[in-house]
Amino acid sequence: MTKEINNCIEALKKEGLILYPTDTIWAIGCDATNNEAVKKIDALKKRALNDTLICLVSSQAMLERYIESVPDVAYDIMDLATKPTTIIFDKPKGLAESLVASDNTIAIRVASDKFCRYVINKFAKPIVSTSANVSGFPTPKNFNAISNEILTGVDYVVNLHQEKENSSPSSIIKLTNDGFVKVIRE
């Protein structure tokens, strides 16, 4: 696993894209603090510019470095969640401008997958996590269903867990600093 982690870090440091297994799906990732890297994902996925992406962090402490004020209820949600849960937070800071939605929010999940946490910890910055498909096409159910266009469009493909079937996508909950809570996806 160390070799895979180091190869990911090398690609991420060069504004590259990685294809990697997460706690939910196979994902395309990049440095979430680098606008140029995020633009490469947009181009590869042929995404609309107003679509938002999810970022992964390795811990609640890392989350606090990229959100101006984490609402207390967010900690309860993260601690009590029974499946991977992405939270949309107000007022992100230090992340690529192109990741921030027009209402000044960002979707972030604390990764539960061990490999993801190791990569993020060693990289010491959040990474993007978006499904490994061209926009408008179905999310691949496993590694073998990922299109050749995606496989050849990234800079590094992780050689772990390629036989694993995807689990369901994460829940998404929107929190605002004024106490608003809305379930976007269960």
Side-chain angles (χ1 to χ4, degrees), residues 2 4 18 34 39 51 53 73 75 85 96 123 128 131 147 168:
T2 302
E4 295 300 320
I18 61 171
N34 186 306
K39 286 178 187 175
D51 287 352
L53 296 171
V73 69
Y75 298 104
T85 301
F123 189 53
V128 169
S131 57
S147 73
S168 59

Side-chain angles (χ1 to χ4, degrees), residues 1-2 8 12 22 32 51 70 95 100 105 107 110 112 155 166 184:
M1 187 176 341
T2 302
C8 286
L12 292 168
T22 72
D51 287 352
V70 178
L95 296 168
V100 179
T105 60
V110 177
S112 58
D155 299 288
N166 289 346
I184 307 293

